[in-house]
Coordinates of all heavy atoms in Angstrom, one line a residue:
K1085 N 109.0 93.2 38.8 CA 108.0 93.8 39.7 C 107.5 92.8 40.7 O 107.3 93.0 41.9 CB 106.9 94.6 39.1 CG 106.0 95.4 40.0 CD 104.9 96.1 39.2 CE 104.0 96.8 40.1 NZ 103.0 97.6 39.2
I1086 N 106.9 91.7 40.2 CA 106.3 90.7 41.2 C 107.3 89.9 42.0 O 107.0 89.6 43.1 CB 105.5 89.8 40.4 CG1 104.4 89.1 41.3 CG2 106.2 88.5 39.8 CD1 103.2 88.5 40.6
Q1087 N 108.6 89.9 41.6 CA 109.6 89.3 42.3 C 110.0 90.1 43.5 O 110.6 89.7 44.5 CB 110.8 89.0 41.6 CG 110.6 87.8 40.6 CD 111.9 87.5 39.7 OE1 112.8 88.3 39.7 NE2 111.8 86.2 39.1
K1088 N 109.6 91.4 43.6 CA 109.9 92.3 44.6 C 108.8 92.3 45.7 O 108.7 92.9 46.7 CB 110.2 93.7 44.2 CG 111.4 93.9 43.3 CD 111.6 95.3 42.7 CE 112.7 95.4 41.7 NZ 112.8 96.6 41.0
S1089 N 107.6 91.7 45.2 CA 106.4 91.6 46.2 C 106.6 90.5 47.1 O 107.6 89.6 47.1 CB 105.2 91.4 45.3 OG 105.1 90.1 44.8
E1090 N 105.6 90.3 48.0 CA 105.5 89.2 48.9 C 104.6 88.0 48.4 O 104.2 87.1 49.2 CB 105.1 89.7 50.2 CG 106.1 90.7 50.8 CD 105.7 91.1 52.2 OE1 104.5 90.9 52.6 OE2 106.4 91.9 52.9
L1091 N 104.1 88.1 47.1 CA 103.2 87.1 46.6 C 103.8 85.8 46.3 O 103.1 84.8 46.2 CB 102.5 87.7 45.4 CG 101.6 88.9 45.7 CD1 101.0 89.4 44.4 CD2 100.5 88.5 46.5
L1092 N 105.1 85.8 46.0 CA 105.8 84.7 45.4 C 106.2 83.7 46.4 O 106.7 84.1 47.5 CB 106.8 84.9 44.4 CG 106.5 85.9 43.2 CD1 107.8 85.9 42.4 CD2 105.3 85.2 42.5
D1093 N 106.1 82.4 46.2 CA 106.6 81.3 47.1 C 107.3 80.2 46.2 O 106.5 79.4 45.6 CB 105.5 80.7 48.0 CG 106.1 79.7 49.0 OD1 107.3 79.3 48.7 OD2 105.4 79.2 49.7
F1094 N 108.5 80.3 45.9 CA 109.2 79.4 45.0 C 109.3 78.0 45.7 O 109.8 77.1 45.0 CB 110.5 79.9 44.5 CG 110.4 81.1 43.5 CD1 110.4 82.4 43.8 CD2 110.2 80.7 42.2 CE1 110.2 83.4 42.9 CE2 110.1 81.7 41.2 CZ 110.2 83.0 41.7
D1095 N 109.1 77.8 47.0 CA 109.2 76.6 47.6 C 108.0 75.7 47.5 O 108.1 74.5 47.9 CB 109.7 76.8 49.0 CG 111.1 77.4 49.2 OD1 112.0 77.0 48.3 OD2 111.2 78.2 50.1
I1096 N 106.9 76.4 47.2 CA 105.5 75.6 47.1 C 105.6 74.7 46.0 O 106.1 74.9 44.9 CB 104.5 76.6 47.0 CG1 103.1 75.9 47.6 CG2 104.3 77.2 45.7 CD1 102.0 76.9 48.0
D1097 N 104.9 73.6 46.1 CA 104.7 72.6 45.0 C 103.3 72.7 44.5 O 102.3 72.4 45.0 CB 104.9 71.1 45.5 CG 104.7 70.0 44.4 OD1 104.5 70.5 43.2 OD2 104.6 68.9 44.7
P1098 N 103.1 73.4 43.3 CA 101.9 73.6 42.8 C 101.1 72.4 42.3 O 99.8 72.3 42.3 CB 102.1 74.5 41.4 CG 103.4 74.1 41.1 CD 104.1 73.8 42.4
R1099 N 101.8 71.2 42.3 CA 101.2 69.9 42.0 C 101.0 69.0 43.2 O 100.6 67.8 42.9 CB 102.1 69.2 41.0 CG 102.0 70.0 39.6 CD 103.2 69.5 38.7 NE 103.1 70.4 37.5 CZ 103.6 71.6 37.3 NH1 104.1 72.2 38.3 NH2 103.5 72.4 36.2
A1100 N 101.1 69.5 44.4 CA 101.0 68.7 45.6 C 99.5 68.2 45.7 O 99.3 66.9 46.0 CB 101.2 69.6 46.8
N1101 N 98.5 68.9 45.3 CA 97.1 68.3 45.4 C 96.4 68.1 44.1 O 95.4 67.3 44.0 CB 96.4 69.3 46.2 CG 96.8 69.5 47.5 OD1 97.2 68.6 48.4 ND2 96.9 70.7 48.0
L1102 N 97.0 68.7 43.0 CA 96.3 68.5 41.7 C 97.4 68.5 40.7 O 98.2 69.4 40.6 CB 95.2 69.7 41.5 CG 94.6 69.7 40.3 CD1 93.6 68.6 40.1 CD2 93.8 71.0 40.1
H1103 N 97.5 67.4 39.9 CA 98.4 67.4 38.7 C 97.8 67.4 37.3 O 97.1 66.5 37.1 CB 99.2 66.2 39.0 CG 100.7 66.3 38.3 ND1 100.9 66.7 37.0 CD2 101.9 65.9 38.9 CE1 102.1 66.8 36.7 NE2 102.8 66.3 37.9
L1104 N 97.9 68.5 36.7 CA 97.3 68.7 35.5 C 98.2 68.4 34.3 O 97.8 68.7 33.1 CB 96.6 70.2 35.3 CG 95.8 70.6 36.5 CD1 95.5 72.2 36.5 CD2 94.4 69.9 36.3
D1105 N 99.3 67.9 34.5 CA 100.3 67.9 33.5 C 100.8 66.5 33.3 O 102.1 66.1 33.5 CB 101.5 68.9 33.7 CG 102.5 68.8 32.7 OD1 102.2 68.7 31.4 OD2 103.7 69.2 32.9
T1106 N 100.0 65.5 33.2 CA 100.4 64.1 33.1 C 99.3 63.3 32.6 O 98.2 63.8 32.3 CB 100.7 63.5 34.5 OG1 101.3 62.2 34.5 CG2 99.4 63.6 35.5
T1107 N 99.5 62.0 32.4 CA 98.5 61.1 31.9 C 98.3 60.2 33.3 O 99.2 59.8 33.8 CB 98.8 60.3 30.7 OG1 98.0 59.3 30.5 CG2 100.2 59.6 30.9
K1108 N 97.0 59.7 33.4 CA 96.8 58.8 34.5 C 96.4 57.4 34.1 O 95.8 56.6 34.6 CB 95.4 59.3 35.1 CG 95.6 60.8 35.7 CD 94.4 61.4 36.2 CE 94.3 62.9 36.4 NZ 94.3 63.7 35.1
I1109 N 97.1 57.1 32.8 CA 96.8 55.7 32.2 C 97.3 54.7 33.1 O 96.7 53.6 33.1 CB 97.5 55.8 30.8 CG1 97.1 54.6 30.0 CG2 99.0 55.8 30.9 CD1 95.6 54.6 29.7
A1110 N 98.3 54.9 33.9 CA 98.8 53.8 34.7 C 97.9 53.3 35.8 O 98.1 52.3 36.5 CB 100.1 54.4 35.4
F1111 N 96.9 54.2 36.1 CA 95.9 53.8 37.1 C 94.8 53.0 36.6 O 93.8 52.7 37.2 CB 95.3 55.1 37.8 CG 96.2 55.8 38.8 CD1 97.2 56.8 38.2 CD2 96.3 55.5 40.1 CE1 98.1 57.4 39.1 CE2 97.2 56.0 41.0 CZ 98.1 57.0 40.3
H1112 N 94.9 52.6 35.2 CA 93.9 51.8 34.6 C 94.5 50.6 33.9 O 94.3 50.3 32.7 CB 93.3 52.6 33.5 CG 92.6 53.9 34.1 ND1 91.3 53.9 34.6 CD2 93.0 55.3 34.3 CE1 90.9 55.1 35.0 NE2 91.9 55.8 34.9
K1113 N 95.4 49.9 34.7 CA 96.2 48.8 34.2 C 95.2 47.6 33.7 O 95.6 47.1 32.7 CB 97.2 48.2 35.2 CG 98.3 49.1 35.5 CD 99.4 48.3 36.3 CE 100.7 49.0 36.5 NZ 100.7 50.2 37.1
E1114 N 94.1 47.4 34.3 CA 93.3 46.3 33.8 C 92.8 46.7 32.5 O 92.7 45.7 31.6 CB 92.1 46.1 34.8 CG 91.4 44.8 34.6 CD 90.4 44.7 33.5 OE1 89.9 45.8 33.2 OE2 90.0 43.7 33.1
R1115 N 92.3 47.8 32.1 CA 91.8 48.2 30.8 C 93.0 48.2 29.9 O 92.7 47.7 28.7 CB 91.2 49.6 30.9 CG 90.6 50.0 29.7 CD 89.0 49.4 29.5 NE 88.3 49.6 30.6 CZ 87.2 50.7 30.5 NH1 87.1 51.3 29.5 NH2 86.5 50.8 31.7
V1116 N 94.1 48.6 30.2 CA 95.2 48.7 29.3 C 95.6 47.2 28.8 O 95.9 46.9 27.7 CB 96.4 49.3 29.9 CG1 97.6 49.3 29.0 CG2 96.1 50.9 30.0
K1117 N 95.6 46.4 29.9 CA 96.1 44.9 29.7 C 95.1 44.2 28.6 O 95.4 43.5 27.8 CB 96.0 44.1 31.1 CG 96.5 42.6 30.7 CD 96.6 41.9 32.1 CE 97.1 40.5 31.9 NZ 96.3 39.7 30.9
A1118 N 93.7 44.5 28.9 CA 92.7 44.0 28.1 C 92.9 44.5 26.6 O 92.7 43.6 25.7 CB 91.2 44.4 28.6
W1119 N 93.3 45.8 26.4 CA 93.5 46.3 25.1 C 94.8 45.6 24.5 O 94.8 45.3 23.4 CB 93.7 47.8 25.2 CG 94.4 48.5 24.2 CD1 93.8 48.8 22.8 CD2 95.7 48.8 23.9 NE1 94.7 49.3 22.1 CE2 95.9 49.4 22.7 CE3 96.8 48.7 24.8 CZ2 97.1 49.9 22.2 CZ3 98.0 49.3 24.4 CH2 98.1 49.9 23.2

């Protein structure tokens, strides 16, 4: 039903501005090195 609607956009990147499916540990290299 929803695929027949105009609501869907399969070309959009849902993670373009916010990524909830990852770890950000690489942005804390100084802390990781100390550990």
Side-chain angles (χ1 to χ4, degrees):
K1085 184 178 179 180
I1086 202 164
Q1087 286 180 345
K1088 295 172 184 174
S1089 74
E1090 297 181 354
L1091 293 173
L1092 302 184
D1093 184 353
F1094 286 97
D1095 293 324
I1096 197 162
D1097 179 7
R1099 294 161 180 84
N1101 301 314
L1102 179 67
H1103 205 312
L1104 303 170
D1105 186 27
T1106 187
T1107 172
K1108 306 172 191 75
I1109 192 71
F1111 290 89
H1112 299 273
K1113 282 190 170 71
E1114 196 277 339
R1115 187 78 58 98
V1116 173
K1117 184 180 183 305
W1119 164 78

